[in-house]
Every structure is written in structure tokens, then in C-alpha cells.
Amino acid sequence: MLKHLSSHDEFISSLSDCIKVLPASDIRRLQFDPFDSALLKVQLLNFDVIHPILTPLYSHTGRPADNQIEILRSFILMNHFGFTSVNKWVLAVKADHLYAILAGYDPLYPAPLGSYYDFMKRLWHTTDLNKIFPKDHFKKNTPKKLPANGEKLDNVPSGKTMQLMQHYLDLVGTPDPDRPELILQELFTQLVLLPSIDRELIDADQAIISLDGSSLHIHSDHRGHPVDEQDSMRRYSDPHADWGWDSHEEKIYFGYSFFSISAYSSNLSIDLPLFFTINPASQHDSVSLFPALAQFRSLCPSIKIKHLCADSAFDNKATFLLCKNWNITPVIDQNPRNTGKKRINDDITINEQGTPVCQAGYEMTYDGYCPSRNRHKYRCPHKTKKVDHCDCQDQCSKSPYGRTVYRKGSDDPRYLSELVYKSEKWKAIYKNRTSNERVNNRVLNNYHVEKMNMHTDARYTFFTMLACINIHLDAWIKASK
């Protein structure tokens, strides 16, 4: 049972009283980074909104649990100060009363180590703790043909994305309500995402989001440890990890895939995470998109997505159809496997930019979009005065209007929206995609998630949440200044 969840007003009052009696040396420490930004963060972050989320996680009977808000605040400070070990952080809080005061503890009685691990366990919505599997549980299956430079491993079964698209379109209610990371995602949404919207750091009415996955290399041993004399079964410290392809380092790696949705705040020129999840390393990003987008829309329906920016890994029919059904305009780069010259008929081809090319070899002139018929119109470049002379003008079309070609959404779902691929408007919106790369880099490197010596997807997801919270708090501080 819960003994007491301290309110934000109680914390601010206690913090003020403690600071008043600090010696001059500690006051000076609070005036410089990283302590001054830590002080601002704990003052800005109001935990009152998550009391209804935490209360059902505890029984109404038994030994009372206390300092739960303080433990979560302490975890956020741990991530802020760059600690990668819970054990070392707990020792630091005991040794340095300034850490304890910022977390909201009585400096003489900070929470013990076991309370930290118990808190993390309660926030993970599953009881699956099995770590013993056959010896070849993590057999490394190196693909016969490795991807080209910068490309991702093409391991998506035929029809998989269409199945996922249809599943989430037909779904009624909360998507994947039994997913173990749901509580962590709800905490993040209530603690910082909704307040960031209230602070006008995110354009909730016409949001431009970007999404992508990043390789998360872990330090667990994929070989495991023998548990019987025959060595047929082994204990694995991270049984949910697996092998994946790191397109940046161009090698097979052991770990997870960190998948996030983010947005660029033009007010502050800063990138903000909107959603996060940890997936198996072998899971292709195009597969991760469907549950992530559905779960994000369910967690934060106040954000109305206008554009979705993504790289060529998401260039598939199912993604464009999902966006059409959810009234989202996709801004997705074309996969090289889907480009190249394609014929509309005997004398009109399509170039790599998706533009029709007439039989004389000229790109045809774009002439607008018809939303009622979901089609883009292209006209003869000679008749539209884009070229001065054409040797094929007599045999191509005798009409004074010139040859006309339509690219239909029914033929190719890329043409279901009015936004023309590689147009100036398309390029301007697509620039937002790099915000996701910067967010992923901050989570994995600046906030040390990839450097942490820990095990299981539960722990990685928890510390990913802490990193995403700190990124929002950094933006709040920047806005307050």
C-alpha cells in the first residue's frame, strides 16, 4: 500500500526550507551546471498529475511504501547527472546531501537500493521473468546477402505491413492494452508531453512528426550461462534481445531497436520526443511504425498529425494507405528498390522522382491535383512552354492542349495526397525528419542509455523514458529563459 504521495507544493516548500540552511559552499554549487539546471528541473516538474497512475499499482494492505514520488524524481536526477549505475547513484545520494535535497528526501533517510528496483518493477506491466532457454536461443543468423551501404536489412515477410495496417484500422479501443511499457508511456505523456503542448512547444493542431528507429547495442552476453551438466539449457541475462543489422556501422549487432516519434519546435529550435518504445533488434522499422503510430494517437489524441516524415525504409503501400485513412499527409523518401524507369504505356515512362517523361525525353509539366479523383495531372512540356522545341509534337498528340497524363492514387498510393514528391514544399517539410535522428542521438548518447550496464527491455525502456523526460525539461528551461 502507499503511505503518502507528496504533492508538488509540499516539495517546493521543503526544498525552500532546506536551501535556506545550506552552507555557502552548497549554495555556490547550486549556481553552476549541472546543479543549477537540476534545481530548475525539479521546480518545474509537477508530479501531482501522475498520482492516479501510481495509486492502482499498489495494494491497499501490507507494509506501506513511501517516497515513491521522490524515487522517480531521484531517477530523473540520476539520468540528468549522467550516472549509468543505480547502485552508484544510491551511494552518491547517501554521500551528498545536495542530491538528496533535490530529490525531495530527508537527507538522513534517502530511499534504499531495493526500493529503486521495486519501483521499476511495478511500472513494467508484465510478470514474465523467465530467463532460462535452450542453448541456441540466440543463434546468430548472418544474412547471405548484406544490405548495401546505408540500407537496412530487408527482412519483412511478404504481406506483413498490409496485415498490420488492416489490424490497426479495424481496431476499436486502446491499441495493444497489454503491452508492458504502457504505464511508462502514460507517465511520460502526463508528466511532460501534455505540459509541453500547454507551453506551446508543440503545434498540436498541425503537428509535423518524424519517426525512425536506432540500433541499441547492449552489454549482455548472448552466450548465456550453463544451468545443467549437459549444457542443454542456459540462463540469459537479457532474454528478449536478439540480433539485428546496424545500417550506420554496417554490421550485425546484439541488442534492441529504439523506436521513437518526435517533433521539431520552431519556437525554440529544439527537438522533442513524442513517443518511445524498445523493439527487438531484428524488427524492421516499417513494421514498428504501425503499432507505434496507433499507440501514440491513443495516448495523446490532442495532437492532430498533419504530416508524417520518414526515410525510405517506410516506403511501402500499407504506410501510405494508413496515412490516407487517418488523414495524415506522408512525406516519405522513395526506396531505391521502388524507383527506376517504369512505363505507364508504350511511350510514357516514370523517372526516379516519380515524374512522367514523354517520348521525347522531357519531364512533363505538373498541372495540379484533383482531390475528388485522387490523381495528379501532367501536361506536355512543349505546350506549357517549358521546352522551346519538340521533335515528337506531331506524332505525340494533335490536340492544341497537348498530351495529358494522370498519376492516380488507385494505381500507386504515393499519389493519394496533393503533395508532390521532391517538390519545394515536400523538401521543406521533409527537413523535419532529421529531428528524429537528433532525438535518438540525445537519448542514446547524451543521456547515456546505450552506455548503461543493465539488462532486459524493461530497464532499457524505463531509462529511455527518463531521457525523454529530461529532453522536455531542457526545452522548458530554454523557454523559461
Side-chain angles (χ1 to χ4, degrees):
M1 62 180 292
L2 280 174
K3 184 176 181 180
H4 175 65
L5 291 176
S6 59
S7 69
H8 189 62
D9 290 340
E10 290 173 336
F11 166 71
I12 294 297
S13 176
S14 173
L15 180 66
S16 178
D17 292 341
C18 290
I19 291 177
K20 288 178 182 178
V21 297
L22 286 175
S25 59
D26 285 335
I27 295 295
R28 185 166 179 80
R29 290 172 68 196
L30 285 175
Q31 294 173 349
F32 296 95
D33 249 347
F35 282 97
D36 67 333
S37 55
L39 178 60
L40 284 172
K41 285 183 178 183
V42 296
Q43 290 175 320
L44 290 170
L45 189 57
N46 189 337
F47 290 91
D48 293 353
V49 294
I50 65 168
H51 287 190
I53 299 176
L54 294 180
T55 302
L57 304 180
Y58 293 83
S59 171
H60 296 292
T61 60
R63 181 181 178 181
D66 57 359
N67 291 325
Q68 304 309 296
I69 295 297
E70 288 75 16
I71 290 174
L72 180 55
R73 187 184 292 114
S74 179
F75 266 124
I76 294 171
L77 288 170
M78 170 189 164
N79 186 248
H80 168 80
F81 284 107
F83 282 77
T84 57
S85 166
V86 180
N87 298 28
K88 291 182 179 180
W89 169 248
V90 172
L91 291 175
V93 173
K94 290 180 180 179
D96 190 335
H97 60 275
L98 208 53
Y99 287 141
I101 290 171
L102 289 173
Y105 293 127
D106 180 334
L108 298 177
Y109 303 101
L113 178 63
S115 297
Y116 282 79
Y117 284 102
D118 177 74
F119 184 77
M120 284 191 288
K121 183 179 177 181
R122 288 182 183 275
L123 297 184
W124 191 248
H125 191 49
T126 183
T127 57
D128 181 16
L129 299 176
N130 182 30
K131 293 188 176 182
I132 299 178
F133 293 93
K135 182 178 179 179
D136 60 348
H137 180 62
F138 285 129
K139 185 178 180 181
K140 188 175 181 179
N141 295 317
T142 304
K144 296 180 180 179
K145 183 180 180 181
L146 296 178
N149 184 22
E151 292 187 4
K152 297 184 179 181
L153 189 65
D154 187 15
N155 59 349
V156 182
S158 177
K160 177 68 175 180
T161 54
M162 290 298 291
Q163 292 175 3
L164 288 168
M165 182 271 296
Q166 200 60 54
H167 168 75
Y168 287 104
L169 282 182
D170 296 339
L171 189 66
V172 177
T174 303
D176 312 312
D178 295 329
R179 64 186 188 273
E181 68 272 21
L182 175 59
I183 298 173
L184 297 175
Q185 292 168 343
E186 289 177 338
L187 286 175
F188 165 75
T189 302
Q190 295 297 324
L191 270 178
V192 292
L193 181 55
L194 295 180
S196 287
I197 295 174
D198 293 337
R199 293 169 182 267
E200 298 183 352
L201 302 182
I202 300 170
D203 186 358
D205 295 326
Q206 300 186 73
I208 300 176
I209 68 169
S210 58
L211 42 78
D212 200 5
S214 289
S215 303
L216 174 54
H217 299 243
I218 66 173
H219 307 285
S220 300
D221 189 352
H222 65 274
R223 293 167 295 187
H225 303 280
V227 296
D228 55 20
E229 294 181 357
Q230 294 78 24
D231 194 17
S232 60
M233 304 293 287
R234 291 194 175 189
R235 179 184 297 276
Y236 297 91
S237 58
D238 213 330
H240 298 111
D242 68 353
W243 296 98
W245 173 255
D246 188 330
S247 57
H248 178 68
E249 297 186 5
E250 298 184 19
K251 68 178 184 179
I252 300 292
Y253 76 99
F254 183 68
Y256 295 99
S257 172
F258 166 53
F259 192 88
S260 68
I261 300 175
S262 64
Y264 176 71
S265 172
S266 57
N267 296 339
L268 295 175
S269 299
I270 198 168
D271 311 287
L272 294 171
L274 308 179
F275 178 86
F276 61 89
T277 185
I278 300 294
N279 297 319
S282 59
Q283 183 166 303
H284 197 273
D285 288 345
S286 64
V287 173
S288 302
L289 173 142
F290 299 95
L293 193 56
Q295 293 163 14
F296 168 63
R297 293 173 77 247
S298 175
L299 282 166
C300 196
S302 58
I303 294 182
K304 310 301 179 186
I305 306 172
K306 183 177 182 181
H307 294 103
L308 182 151
C309 303
D311 62 23
S312 59
F314 301 89
D315 180 22
N316 59 73
K317 182 179 180 180
T319 299
F320 285 93
L321 291 175
L322 183 78
C323 289
K324 179 64 176 179
N325 279 275
W326 285 348
N327 199 29
I328 300 171
T329 301
V331 186
I332 300 175
D333 197 11
Q334 289 189 3
N335 193 316
R337 297 189 183 101
N338 300 330
T339 59
K341 287 192 174 182
K342 299 178 181 179
R343 287 195 175 275
I344 293 181
N345 49 40
D346 292 339
D347 52 4
I348 303 293
T349 59
I350 302 297
N351 64 15
E352 293 184 354
Q353 283 69 43
T355 304
V357 178
C358 70
Q359 59 181 315
Y362 298 116
E363 284 192 358
M364 301 187 72
T365 305
Y366 182 68
D367 197 42
Y369 174 72
C370 178
S372 61
R373 297 187 179 184
N374 285 326
R375 67 182 190 179
H376 294 263
K377 180 181 177 182
Y378 295 85
R379 288 184 58 198
C380 170
H382 182 250
K383 296 297 183 181
T384 54
K385 299 182 180 179
K386 296 295 181 181
V387 296
D388 297 329
H389 175 75
C390 179
D391 294 331
C392 302
Q393 58 178 315
D394 295 329
Q395 61 192 49
C396 181
S397 174
K398 296 181 180 179
S399 168
Y401 190 75
R403 184 73 177 271
T404 302
V405 171
Y406 295 98
R407 298 234 62 191
K408 304 176 183 178
S410 56
D411 299 330
D412 190 334
R414 293 190 186 93
Y415 299 94
L416 287 170
S417 71
E418 61 181 358
L419 196 59
V420 180
Y421 179 66
K422 289 294 178 74
S423 64
E424 292 304 314
K425 183 179 180 180
W426 187 96
K427 291 177 182 178
I429 298 172
Y430 189 69
K431 288 181 180 179
N432 288 271
R433 190 193 67 81
T434 55
S435 71
N436 190 264
E437 296 177 352
R438 293 189 290 270
V439 164
N440 289 3
N441 178 62
R442 292 201 68 193
V443 169
L444 297 179
N445 298 313
N446 296 116
Y447 280 108
H448 316 295
V449 170
E450 194 168 46
K451 298 176 184 177
M452 302 198 71
N453 187 18
M454 57 186 178
H455 309 299
T456 75
D457 52 348
R459 302 278 171 81
Y460 278 106
T461 307
F462 181 81
F463 281 94
T464 295
M465 176 195 70
L466 299 180
C468 291
I469 289 174
N470 269 305
I471 292 173
H472 275 264
L473 293 178
D474 290 335
W476 295 5
I477 293 174
K478 186 174 183 180
S480 66
K481 291 180 179 180

